[in-house]
Amino acid sequence: MKTLLMLAASATLLAAPALAYDRYAERPPVMVSPDLSAPWVLQLGRDPAEVAPRRQAREPKLRQVPPKVQQRAVQRRQANPAQPQLAALRAPEKRTVQPQMNPIYLPQQVAYDGGEKPGTIIIDTIENFLYLVEEGGQARRYGVGTGKPGFEWSGTHKVTAKREWPDWRPPAEMIARERAKGRVLPAKMEGGPDNPLGARALYLGSTLYRIHGTNQPWTIGGAVSSGCIRMRNEDVIELYERVPVGTKVIVR
C-alpha cells in the first residue's frame, strides 16, 4: 500500500511542471463547421439594406374625437352665433377680375400719308382708332371706343370746348332709353373717377358728342358708346394737352 502511494505521488510531481508550461505552448486553430460559417460569410457580400431592411414609417393615426366632445362643440357654436368661425376666417377673399384691353389699342407712333394738316384729329370708327396728325408723315394713334350699332355717325367738326373731370348730364333721350331697360340714370353726376366721362372731355361743335375718358377702360376697341368717342383716361389727358380749342376733328 505504501509502495502504491509513493508511486502516485511521484507521478504527480513529474506531471506538474508539464502542466505549468502548457499555457505558453501554441494552441491549435479553432475549426468552425461550414454549416455555421457559411451564412455569416454570405452576409458580408450583401447589400446592408437587404440584410436589415429599413422600416417603413408608419402613417400617423388620426385622433378620433368622441361624439360627446363633438356635441359640446356644436352647442358652444350655437350659444355664440356671433363668434367668427375658423373656416370663415381662412376663406380666400373673392376679387372681381376685370377683362383686359387688347394691347393693340395702346398709343403708338405710326406712319401717315393722308392729306390732312398736322394737328388734325382723324377718327376711324371701323378700326376704332384715333389719329393725331404730326409733322414728317407721322401720327400718334390711340385706341378708342365708338358708337354701338344704331349710334354710328360721321362728319367734320371742331373742338369747341375742353373740360377737366367734367360733370355728366345725360340727355333726356338716354335717360328714357335706360329707364326702359330698368336702369335709372341721375340727372347730373359730378366729375370724378366714377364718372363715365372720365378725366377729360373735348366737346365737338354744337353736338352732344365728345371725345372723353372712361371709367371702363377695358371697353376700348369696341362699339360701345351712344355716339361719343371714348378713350382711356391717360390717353385722353395726353390728347387734351396736345390739342387746342378749334382743332379740326374728322369722324369717318
Side-chain angles (χ1 to χ4, degrees), residues 36-59:
L36 298 175
S37 62
W40 296 97
V41 173
L42 290 175
Q43 287 187 26
L44 294 176
R46 292 182 181 178
D47 186 354
E50 297 179 3
V51 177
R54 183 175 298 176
R55 294 182 179 180
Q56 299 294 330
R58 295 182 179 179
E59 297 183 0

Side-chain angles (χ1 to χ4, degrees), residues 27-205:
R27 298 180 183 274
V30 178
M31 301 300 293
V32 181
S33 172
D35 294 337
L36 298 175
S37 62
W40 296 97
V41 173
L42 290 175
Q43 287 187 26
L44 294 176
R46 292 182 181 178
D47 186 354
E50 297 179 3
V51 177
R54 183 175 298 176
R55 294 182 179 180
Q56 299 294 330
R58 295 182 179 179
E59 297 183 0
K61 295 183 178 180
L62 298 178
R63 182 181 177 184
Q64 299 295 331
V65 181
K68 292 184 179 181
V69 176
Q70 295 181 2
Q71 184 178 4
R72 287 197 295 268
V74 172
Q75 292 174 352
R76 284 196 298 269
R77 287 196 295 268
Q78 292 176 350
N80 299 280
Q83 184 178 1
Q85 301 299 320
L86 182 60
L89 293 176
R90 293 180 178 177
E93 180 182 356
K94 293 184 179 180
R95 297 181 179 180
T96 303
V97 178
Q98 298 292 354
Q100 299 296 317
M101 184 186 74
N102 190 327
I104 195 176
Y105 296 112
L106 294 174
Q108 299 181 37
Q109 289 295 124
V110 297
Y112 174 74
D113 58 359
E116 300 298 333
K117 296 180 179 180
T120 303
I121 293 175
I122 302 172
I123 299 171
D124 182 345
T125 59
I126 303 299
E127 299 295 334
N128 291 328
F129 288 121
L130 181 150
Y131 298 87
L132 175 60
V133 180
E134 299 177 339
E135 300 282 354
Q138 295 288 311
R140 182 69 165 168
R141 189 184 76 182
Y142 305 90
V144 295
T146 55
K148 54 192 172 183
F151 294 88
E152 309 95 331
W153 64 279
S154 61
T156 300
H157 294 282
K158 290 185 178 181
V159 175
T160 52
K162 298 167 59 178
R163 298 284 186 275
E164 297 185 8
W165 295 106
D167 297 336
W168 181 44
R169 294 178 174 83
E173 297 85 353
M174 181 182 291
I175 293 176
R177 185 170 61 249
E178 294 300 320
R179 183 183 295 115
K181 300 177 183 178
R183 181 187 176 197
V184 179
L185 296 181
K188 176 184 177 182
M189 180 182 289
E190 298 293 333
D194 296 329
N195 192 303
L197 297 184
R200 302 290 186 271
L202 288 74
Y203 296 79
L204 303 180

